[in-house]
Structure formats: C-alpha cells, structure tokens
Amino acid sequence: DALNHIFRGQGQFPIVQNMTVTEGGIANLTCRVEHNDNTSLQWSNPAQQTLFFGDKKALRDNRIELVRATSQELTINISEVTLADEGMYTCSLFTMPVKTAKAFLTVLGMPKKPEINGLTKPVLEGDQITLTCVTSGSKPAADVRWFKNEKEIKGAKEVNTSGKTFTVKSSLQLLVNRHDDGVAYTCRVDHVALIATHEETTQVLEVHYAPYVEIKHSIPAPLEGQYLKLECVPHGNPSPDPVLWTKDGGELPDLDRVIVEGRELTFMSLNKTDNGTYRCEATNHLGTSHAEYKLVVKDAPTTSSPSTTSPAPTLPDTTGPLDSKHLNSAVTGNRDPNALPGPPDHALIGGIVAVVVFATLCLIIVLGRYLARHKGTYLTNEAKGADDAPDADTAIINADGNHAHAEEKKEYFI
C-alpha cells in the first residue's frame, strides 16, 4: 500500500488556468487534481504568502474568500482586484515530493473617462485653437480617436507611462471659421477592458462671427399693382437683430402702403414711385453687413381684343403632289368668310402696278411699229404703176390693180 501511495502521488499534478480580470473585478482561482488521497492543496500569492491551506485561511485579507475545498479542488475568490494583485499565483499539492502549478493573474487597468482641454467658449472666427484629449489609468495603453460630427479625423497621439498604467493624449489643431459653429468634436477611448462599449467626451464649438446678409423676394419680375415681399436674412453669431431697412440711402416712403414687420418689407400694391434701391443692414458686436435690392416696377400687361386677321396659310404636310383641293385649302387657309379684311399688302399692290405699266409700254411699242409699217406699204403701193402710165387716169387704174394684188400679200401681226 505504501508503494502504491507513492506511485499514485508521483502521477498526480495540480491543474490551474491563467486569469485576466479588470481592475475592481473578481478573480476566481481554481486548482484541481484527478486523484488525491486526502493530500492538502494550497494557494499562494506572488509574494509566496499562503492564502489558503485546504479550507484554512492563512492570510488576513477580507477580499479573499474560500469558494470550495475538497480533496480534488481548491477554489478561492479575490474581490476588488487591484493592479498590485497582478502576478504569478501558485497551487501546491503536498505529496512526496511536492507538486506545483502556476497561474498568472493579469489585471487590466480601466481607462478613465477622457477630458477635452483647450476649448474656450465662444471662439472667434479666425482663431487657431488646439484641442487635447487625455485619458489615464489604462493598462495596456488605450486607443484614442477623434470624430468631427461622427466622421473620424486624425489627431497627434502621445503615450506616457505612469507606474503600471498609461496616460494617452491626442491633440487637434484647428483654424476656426464660421462653418465650425455648432460642430461637435468627440474624443473616443477604446480599450480591451471596455467590452462592447467605449468611453467618450464631446465638445460643441460656438463660433462668433460678423454678419453677412441676403435679401429674398417673393416675385421675380414685379409689375404695377402686384404684392411684393422682401425678406432680409442675416447670418451671424450672435444673431444680428433687428435689421434696418432704407431706400436710396434715406427713410422708407409712405409707411401706410409699405409695411415693415420684423425682417420683412411688404408692398401691398406696387407702383412706379416704389422704384429704387432698398438696403437691409444688420449689425452685431463683431461688425456690420448689408445687402441691396434694386426694384424696377414694370407696366402691368393691358387686355387686348382678339385679332381679326387670319393666320398665314400653311401647306398640308404631304409627300405627294398637291391636288386642287389641297392647294385651295392651303391658299384660303380656312379663312372665315365673315372676318373683316386685313390691312392692304403694299408689296402686292406695287407689283401689280409695275406689271400694268410694263404691259402698257409693250402695247404702245407694238402699235407704233404696226402703224409705221402699214403707212409705208400704202405709199409704196400707191406709187406702183403710176411711173409707167401715160396719163393720170392710167396711173390710178394701175394703182388700183396693184391694190388688188396687195390684198393677197397683207401681213398680219398678232
């Protein structure tokens, strides 16, 4: 039996596991053996101080408690763990010889909530500022990130050691303008001890800047008798309020018809006396700005009677030749027979007169040539036969005979 006890004792080894716990948490240390003949188990701390020997507490520390003590297991808890508790813990099995197993307890340093420094409120447009985010107490070193309205931006990171923990700092340099007004800058800390969460701090910039002004109008092209509203829209921080309206460098006319209400200038019924340059001016403690609107009131459109003239005829859209029906329709243009005649076409009248004058000249020329030729023929025929006649009676007879033959030689002019 003694030999069997020694053999079994030599085959027994305690079994332990490394542990990781967050600072302030609870560390559970368990030591087990498969076979044990009532041999005692013992837990010792990194300083080799005995914590528990079997079920007997050896170190006076209220944070250390016994969970289970049997011949095959010794489990203890260390609550409110600090960074000083980190180290190598030993489980011993008092056989011959003594068997030991070592478990390393890792304590994570929880990073503190980050702080953003370097921001004063308000900031003036054009100022250059440096925002610094600092978190301390992390182990291992935490990761620090910057976000501008939830969009990540890069900062300059710096890590310093303080004992067993780390202090991490990240900086942003900003040249502030009016577009930074209301922008949220967030410093976020990520760490292995922050399971499924993170620590963060947010600062919202308040930027003061001089005003700038714009004028909005209710209608694009004002006409006489219309309603018009001009709205002065100042942008600035602090908000420039109230605003000042002027016309052509002086006061507004006829305040019964032109109404000023807050930032709005209203014309109930426009007329041409309203023409001019209207100016809106806004001021805050950083400066003054203005905008101008030039009002030009145009005549209201007059109501005209329907036109009595017919539209120009349009040829039908056809790819084939025009027949008489299409041609007549195109020329008449479906003219209303009861419509009054339109104004005379002077070009058409001039063309007709020119044609008549030309035809008259041609007719005169043709008649002149015709008369001249017939006159020559008469004198010539009358003289024929008279030259050889012995007396006057014979000459007349001969001339008559020639006339008879001349009838057959008449020329006709068409």
Side-chain angles (χ1 to χ4, degrees):
D1 291 337
L3 292 175
N4 187 35
H5 176 76
I6 294 173
F7 177 77
R8 291 173 62 186
Q10 289 177 347
Q12 293 175 2
F13 289 92
I15 302 171
V16 296
Q17 287 184 338
N18 294 332
M19 290 291 296
T20 299
V21 63
T22 301
E23 184 180 13
I26 299 175
N28 183 281
L29 300 175
T30 299
C31 178
R32 291 189 179 92
V33 291
E34 293 182 1
H35 304 284
N36 191 4
D37 295 333
N38 295 323
T39 303
S40 298
L41 293 170
Q42 172 186 293
W43 271 112
S44 303
N45 65 14
Q48 295 304 312
Q49 296 171 316
T50 301
L51 303 178
F52 269 88
F53 183 79
D55 58 357
K56 301 293 190 294
K57 187 175 184 178
L59 184 67
R60 291 184 178 181
D61 189 336
N62 295 331
R63 300 179 304 130
I64 303 174
E65 296 178 350
L66 177 65
V67 176
R68 184 179 293 107
T70 66
S71 60
Q72 294 180 333
E73 179 182 339
L74 179 59
T75 299
I76 63 173
N77 278 347
I78 304 174
S79 59
E80 298 179 8
V81 173
T82 66
L83 295 175
D85 294 324
E86 184 175 79
M88 192 73 73
Y89 287 77
T90 303
C91 177
S92 301
L93 176 63
F94 284 90
T95 59
M96 292 298 292
V98 177
K99 305 292 192 306
T100 61
K102 296 183 181 296
F104 194 89
L105 175 62
T106 301
V107 181
L108 301 177
M110 181 73 73
K112 294 182 179 179
K113 187 176 180 67
E115 296 180 357
I116 297 178
N117 302 318
L119 179 62
T120 58
K121 292 185 179 182
V123 182
L124 298 183
E125 183 177 32
D127 285 354
Q128 185 166 348
I129 63 173
T130 300
L131 300 182
T132 303
C133 177
V134 180
T135 179
S136 60
S138 61
K139 178 182 172 294
D143 185 26
V144 177
R145 297 188 295 163
W146 282 102
F147 293 84
K148 178 181 178 181
N149 285 346
E150 299 301 322
K151 182 179 181 181
E152 187 169 0
I153 56 178
K154 189 175 181 180
K157 186 177 178 180
E158 180 183 339
V159 180
N160 296 312
T161 305
S162 176
K164 290 186 176 182
T165 62
F166 298 88
T167 299
V168 184
K169 179 168 53 177
S170 183
S171 301
L172 278 179
Q173 287 191 347
L174 303 174
L175 181 60
V176 179
N177 61 48
R178 63 189 59 195
H179 302 294
D180 291 316
D181 186 41
V183 172
Y185 284 88
T186 300
C187 174
R188 181 176 298 175
V189 175
D190 294 320
H191 192 262
V192 64
L194 300 170
I195 302 173
T197 185
H198 49 257
E199 290 280 1
E200 67 180 29
T201 299
T202 300
Q203 290 281 3
V204 178
L205 265 63
E206 180 184 352
V207 182
H208 282 190
Y209 55 94
Y212 67 95
V213 180
E214 60 178 334
I215 296 177
K216 297 181 179 179
H217 45 86
S218 59
I219 53 177
L223 302 176
E224 278 193 300
Q226 283 187 325
Y227 169 92
L228 172 65
K229 181 174 73 173
L230 301 180
E231 181 182 3
C232 179
V233 184
H235 305 272
N237 192 14
S239 179
D241 202 19
V243 298
L244 176 64
W245 282 100
T246 58
K247 177 188 178 183
D248 296 330
E251 295 183 355
L252 297 174
D254 193 2
L255 293 179
D256 292 335
R257 197 173 50 81
V258 181
I259 302 173
V260 178
E261 187 174 2
R263 297 175 177 177
E264 296 179 352
L265 177 63
T266 304
F267 299 84
M268 302 308 295
S269 180
L270 288 170
N271 61 51
K272 291 191 175 182
T273 62
D274 296 322
N275 287 349
T277 300
Y278 291 82
R279 173 172 172 152
C280 169
E281 186 175 283
T283 303
N284 65 14
H285 72 279
L286 295 175
T288 300
S289 180
H290 70 272
E292 294 182 346
Y293 174 81
K294 187 174 183 179
L295 175 60
V296 178
V297 180
K298 297 183 179 180
D299 294 331
T302 57
T303 304
S304 58
S305 60
S307 175
T308 56
T309 58
S310 299
T314 304
L315 293 176
D317 183 13
T318 176
T319 55
L322 293 174
D323 55 20
S324 59
K325 178 180 179 181
H326 286 148
L327 183 58
N328 183 56
S329 175
V331 172
T332 59
N334 295 324
R335 186 184 302 274
D336 184 1
N338 296 322
L340 295 175
D345 190 337
H346 296 288
L348 180 61
I349 294 173
I352 295 172
V353 171
V355 171
V356 171
V357 171
F358 180 77
T360 304
L361 291 175
C362 291
L363 181 59
I364 292 173
I365 293 171
V366 170
L367 289 176
R369 291 185 61 187
Y370 176 80
L371 293 176
R373 171 168 259 181
H374 276 268
K375 181 178 180 181
T377 303
Y378 173 76
L379 293 176
T380 303
N381 289 334
E382 185 180 18
K384 283 182 180 180
D387 293 338
D388 299 327
D391 51 35
D393 293 335
T394 304
I396 292 173
I397 294 171
N398 288 341
D400 290 338
N402 286 333
H403 277 293
H405 291 289
E407 287 294 331
E408 299 174 0
K409 298 180 181 181
K410 283 185 181 178
E411 293 182 8
Y412 294 90
F413 293 93
I414 299 173

